[in-house]
C-alpha cells in the first residue's frame, strides 16, 4: 500500500560507462584543471625517484642478508633447515626478481620524461 502512494522509479546512473566521466578519464573525476603541467612533472619525478629508491632498498637488503650457514640458521632459530644456503639463495633470488619491477617501472618513467624533453627541444628548435 505504501509503494502505491509513492511511485518513485529508481534510476541507475552509468557513471563508469559515460564517455565524459568514465574511469580512464581521471581529470573529469576531480574537475577541470586541477593539476597543472608543472605539478604533474614534479609528481612524475618524485615517482621515478621513489621507484629507484625501492629498487636500491631491495638490493641493500639482499646484501645485508647473511651468507654463511651458521648465520642463516641463527636468523631462523626455531626452523630446521636442511639446506640453509639454498634457502637463502631462494630468498635472495625472490628479492632480486621483485626488485626488477620497480627498476623497470622507473626506467619506463625516465624514458617518458626524456621523450617529453626531447620533443620539447625539437618543437622549440
Amino acid at each position: 500500500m505504501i509503494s502505491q502512494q509513492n511511485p518513485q522509479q529508481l534510476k541507475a546512473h552509468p557513471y563508469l560507462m559515460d564517455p565524459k566521466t568514465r574511469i580512464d578519464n581521471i581529470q573529469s573525476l576531480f574537475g577541470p584543471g586541477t593539476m597543472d603541467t608543472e605539478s604533474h612533472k614534479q609528481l612524475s619525478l618524485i615517482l621515478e625517484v621513489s621507484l629507484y629508491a625501492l629498487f636500491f632498498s631491495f638490493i641493500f637488503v639482499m646484501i645485508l642478508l647473511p651468507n654463511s650457514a651458521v648465520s642463516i640458521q641463527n636468523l631462523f632459530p626455531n626452523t630446521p633447515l636442511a639446506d640453509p644456503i639454498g634457502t637463502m639463495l631462494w630468498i635472495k633470488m625472490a628479492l632480486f626478481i621483485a626488485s626488477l619491477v620497480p627498476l623497470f617501472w622507473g626506467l619506463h618513467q625516465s624514458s617518458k620524461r626524456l621523450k617529453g624533453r626531447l620533443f620539447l627541444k625539437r618543437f622549440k628548435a
Side-chain angles (χ1 to χ4, degrees):
M1 193 188 263
I2 294 175
S3 63
Q4 292 175 355
Q5 292 174 355
N6 191 4
Q8 187 178 19
Q9 294 180 348
L10 296 176
K11 292 182 180 178
H13 180 67
Y15 187 76
L16 297 177
M17 301 304 250
D18 189 9
K20 296 177 185 173
T21 58
R22 65 178 183 239
I23 199 68
D24 63 341
N25 192 3
I26 294 294
Q27 289 181 347
S28 67
L29 294 175
F30 301 113
T34 57
M35 182 181 292
D36 58 344
T37 307
E38 194 61 35
S39 63
H40 181 62
K41 287 180 184 177
Q42 290 173 351
L43 284 176
S44 296
L45 184 64
I46 289 170
L47 175 67
E48 182 183 336
V49 169
S50 65
L51 287 167
Y52 286 131
L54 182 62
F55 167 72
F56 285 118
S57 68
F58 274 117
I59 299 301
F60 183 70
V61 167
M62 280 180 29
I63 291 170
L64 285 182
L65 287 173
N67 291 328
S68 68
V70 175
S71 301
I72 295 169
Q73 285 184 336
N74 289 337
L75 192 62
F76 304 106
N78 295 329
T79 306
L81 297 173
D83 183 18
I85 294 177
T87 304
M88 190 53 62
L89 283 175
W90 274 102
I91 291 171
K92 287 185 177 188
M93 187 174 59
L95 283 173
F96 176 71
I97 291 171
S99 73
L100 292 178
V101 174
L103 173 68
F104 286 128
W105 191 254
L107 289 173
H108 172 68
Q109 294 294 324
S110 295
S111 68
K112 282 188 353 184
R113 190 168 50 88
L114 179 63
K115 187 192 301 182
R117 286 178 32 204
L118 291 174
F119 178 75
L120 282 177
K121 282 184 181 179
R122 190 180 317 144
F123 184 72
K124 288 181 181 178

